[in-house]
Amino acid sequence: MENGVALNPSQAMAVPLTFSGRVKAMPGRAKASAAIGLVALAAVVYALTTNASHGEFRVLYGNLSDKDGGAVVAQLSQMNVPYRVAPGGAILVPAGQVPDLRLKMATAGLPKGTVSGYELMDSARFGQTQFQERLTFQRGLEGELTRSITSLAAVQNARVHLALPNQNGFFREQQKPSASVLLSLHPGRTLDRAQVAGIVHLVSSSVPELDPKSVSVLDQSGALLTGSADALRPGGLDAGQLQYLNQIESGYAKRIFELLEPIVGHDNLRATVAAEVDFTQSEATSEEFKPNQGAEASVSIRSQQTTEQSGSSGAMPSGVPGAASNQPPVAATAPLVGASQPLHAAPLSGGGANGRREAVTNYEVDKTVRVTRNATGTVKRLSAAVVVNNRSVVDPKGKTTQVALSGEELDKLTALVRESIGYKQDRGDSVKVINAPFRIETIPNGPEVPWWKAPDNLDLVRSFAMPGALVLVALLVFFGLVRPGLKAVMAPPVLLPGSKLNAVADDAAALPMQAALPAPRSVEQLESAKQLARQNPAAVAGILRGWVGSDQPASR
């Protein structure tokens, strides 16, 4: 009996016993519901599998132009990588593949960027004006300079602005072009003076009649990297001298840290060194002349000159002619000792003799030439200031306390600092080491955010929202559409009275299944009466005697 209607054995045996027969015997509406449920369940399982394999999507590149975005999407399609395109030109890929994909895109030269060079001239329109042509050329030149500057290792991005005035026929009234370069450097990178000068030379050489002094280079912080060659930094130092001074001070400070940190501990020391460096240049030249000195000194004759000249005139006879006047003069004689005797000779009228002798001797004199050039960048004075934190002491109970350093310990640290920097008292150096507790600033966290508004919790909910929703949909589809059909098809058979099965007792083979029909109520009542008769025959006999002796019919 089913729903108050009894089924006979012929009707029960009319229900198909095979799986395919049961499916065919199902109503059309049940078939449609089961088919829709299976399709929906397969879609949910596919979505779960895809979400589990791809995971969360992250931004691969943002703010891309249409050209670069199309090239990146085409490359991702060739690599069979799932992607999503967000508003604003952002391309999303699975979070776990972002670093690998960026390296692969960089190898392929993507994205190429939005900088356009001389290729702008290839898309010239017919009928464009001279102003448009000049503007296109200027944009192309700016793009080419930008590409060249961004190829430097320290430059992350660059922008070049050129001011090219119109040329006219009056040479005196023509304005000179100028240029401005804005650089965005990589984090931790700097440009030295030679690199900045190279950028200026690159820009000035690329634009006709552009003076290098008319090129301005700025960094991302707005600091002017170019200037006059004679311009000095604060303190009267140029860039090279200032860099040298910073190297000296940082070198001394590094020595102090390397020497004291193993003693006082990491992050328990602060030190600074101020150096006074003399960058003046001076040159002196001197010559010294000294005579030969010493016991063995000898006079060296450098040159000697002797001049000797003599002459005489013949004696002319004078006086009264005769024998006395014709006699020759007597030879002159001089005594060895004493004064010479005057000559007695006959005077000769108009006769005489003359002579001249000169001697010049030059001696060598010592000469010393000394040229003195003072060294530049010499340290004139050093000042070092060191602050040491209190010493941490742990008592037997495990409590940590801060204890100030003793005077003896400070003296030892001061001596070490003096030796590390090469302390010289006559130079005026000064070293000061003090002990003070370091104050640790605590940054306020701000207003406490509820747990349901915390960013980490929100990200966790977002990551599990999609899988949870898909699982919920899968459960609803299974229990609402698929399970009723499977229950009707896979239900065990029900044996009705009078039905015959082609089976052998104690056979291991499974019996064929019948239609899932509920057992009649009369069969259950009959089995209950048989069980009651076996357990309590006396009670059953009393009931039967009552039925036989009673005039009323027995109720079923």
Side-chain angles (χ1 to χ4, degrees):
M1 178 180 294
E2 182 179 3
N3 297 330
V5 179
L7 299 176
N8 53 26
S10 61
Q11 291 176 341
M13 294 303 296
V15 178
L17 299 178
T18 60
F19 179 80
S20 58
R22 293 184 181 185
V23 172
K24 293 179 180 180
M26 291 177 60
R29 184 175 181 181
K31 290 181 181 179
S33 299
I36 293 174
L38 291 175
V39 172
L41 187 61
V44 172
V45 171
Y46 175 78
L48 283 173
T49 306
T50 305
N51 185 73
S53 61
H54 296 163
E56 185 181 359
F57 279 71
R58 294 293 178 87
V59 177
L60 178 64
Y61 295 109
N63 298 326
L64 291 179
S65 62
D66 295 340
K67 182 178 180 180
D68 290 338
V72 172
V73 167
Q75 187 69 19
L76 292 176
S77 300
Q78 293 180 1
M79 299 168 59
N80 295 326
V81 176
Y83 63 89
R84 298 175 184 173
V85 180
I91 298 178
L92 308 178
V93 295
Q97 303 182 19
V98 170
D100 189 20
L101 289 176
R102 285 182 178 175
L103 292 177
K104 293 181 179 179
M105 290 297 171
T107 305
L110 297 175
K112 297 181 179 180
T114 58
V115 179
S116 301
Y118 285 134
E119 60 268 15
L120 292 175
M121 305 296 295
D122 299 336
S123 59
R125 299 187 306 271
F126 178 76
Q128 64 179 0
T129 62
Q130 184 179 4
F131 173 77
Q132 293 176 345
E133 184 179 356
R134 290 183 61 258
L135 184 60
T136 303
F137 172 76
Q138 180 176 343
R139 289 179 56 194
L141 182 58
E142 292 175 351
E144 294 295 334
L145 291 174
T146 301
R147 289 176 179 176
S148 301
I149 295 174
T150 51
S151 62
L152 299 177
V155 179
Q156 183 178 13
N157 195 5
R159 293 194 65 182
V160 179
H161 302 277
L162 298 178
L164 304 179
N166 295 327
Q167 302 296 331
N168 50 30
F170 300 96
F171 181 78
R172 294 182 179 179
E173 297 180 0
Q174 290 181 357
Q175 298 179 358
K176 298 296 182 180
S178 60
S180 300
V181 181
L182 178 61
L183 303 178
S184 296
L185 305 180
H186 288 284
R189 300 289 186 88
T190 57
L191 293 177
D192 54 13
R193 297 183 61 185
Q195 291 174 322
V196 175
I199 294 175
V200 172
H201 185 72
L202 172 66
V203 176
S204 61
S205 301
S206 303
V207 180
E209 299 183 2
L210 178 58
D211 190 1
K213 296 182 180 179
S214 301
V215 180
S216 302
V217 181
L218 290 81
D219 59 3
Q220 66 269 23
S221 62
L224 183 63
L225 303 180
T226 57
S228 175
D230 300 331
L232 300 179
R233 300 297 189 271
L237 303 179
D238 59 8
Q241 295 174 351
L242 185 61
Q243 183 179 5
Y244 178 73
L245 179 62
N246 293 333
Q247 290 178 354
I248 292 179
E249 294 177 347
S250 61
Y252 284 124
K254 184 179 180 181
R255 292 182 185 179
I256 296 175
F257 274 98
E258 291 178 351
L259 188 62
L260 298 187
E261 271 193 345
I263 301 175
V264 300
H266 179 67
D267 205 17
N268 289 327
L269 177 69
R270 297 292 184 272
T272 180
V273 178
E276 183 179 348
V277 182
D278 185 12
F279 291 101
T280 58
Q281 298 180 0
S282 61
E283 181 177 348
T285 304
S286 62
E287 294 185 4
E288 298 178 358
F289 297 90
K290 294 182 180 180
N292 293 326
Q293 299 176 359
E296 299 180 357
S298 60
V299 178
S300 301
I301 298 176
R302 180 174 61 181
S303 63
Q304 186 177 10
Q305 182 180 0
T306 303
T307 303
E308 187 174 351
Q309 182 180 358
S310 62
S312 61
S313 59
M316 299 299 293
S318 62
V320 179
S325 60
N326 292 330
Q327 294 294 325
V330 180
T333 59
L336 296 176
V337 180
S340 62
Q341 297 295 328
L343 295 176
H344 297 281
L348 295 177
S349 174
N354 52 24
R356 181 182 178 186
R357 183 179 181 181
E358 294 180 357
V360 179
T361 303
N362 297 324
Y363 297 93
E364 292 289 351
V365 181
D366 290 346
K367 178 181 179 182
T368 302
V369 179
R370 182 178 292 105
V371 179
T372 304
R373 295 184 179 89
N374 292 334
T376 59
T378 57
V379 179
K380 297 175 60 177
R381 185 172 181 273
L382 290 176
S383 300
V386 181
V387 180
V388 183
N389 192 14
N390 290 342
R391 184 176 64 254
S392 299
V393 178
V394 181
D395 56 7
K397 297 181 179 180
K399 183 179 180 180
T400 303
T401 57
Q402 299 291 331
V403 179
L405 301 180
S406 61
E408 184 179 358
E409 293 175 337
L410 289 178
D411 293 339
K412 292 181 180 179
L413 295 178
T414 303
L416 290 176
V417 173
R418 288 180 177 178
E419 294 297 330
S420 64
I421 66 173
Y423 175 82
K424 294 182 180 180
Q425 185 175 2
D426 56 352
R427 194 172 56 184
D429 296 349
S430 63
V431 175
K432 187 66 175 179
V433 179
I434 64 172
N435 173 225
F438 286 5
R439 182 178 178 182
I440 302 176
E441 296 289 344
T442 58
I443 301 176
N445 297 327
E448 185 177 356
V449 180
W451 65 269
W452 64 84
K453 293 183 179 180
D456 296 339
N457 296 335
L458 292 178
D459 293 340
L460 185 62
V461 171
R462 292 191 192 98
S463 60
F464 284 100
M466 181 61 68
L470 293 176
V471 170
L472 181 60
V473 172
L475 292 176
L476 293 176
V477 170
F478 179 77
F479 288 102
L481 298 177
V482 179
R483 187 172 180 272
L486 293 177
K487 187 176 180 181
V489 174
M490 303 300 297
V494 178
L495 298 178
L496 298 178
S499 61
K500 296 181 180 180
L501 297 178
N502 187 12
V504 180
D506 298 332
D507 192 359
L511 298 177
M513 303 293 294
Q514 283 191 348
L517 297 178
R521 187 176 180 183
S522 58
V523 177
E524 296 178 359
Q525 292 177 353
L526 181 59
E527 292 294 333
S528 299
K530 290 181 179 180
Q531 185 178 2
L532 180 61
R534 286 192 299 267
Q535 294 178 357
N536 196 352
V540 174
I543 293 174
L544 293 176
R545 283 194 298 267
W547 287 350
V548 173
S550 178
D551 297 335
Q552 297 178 358
S555 59
R556 296 181 61 181

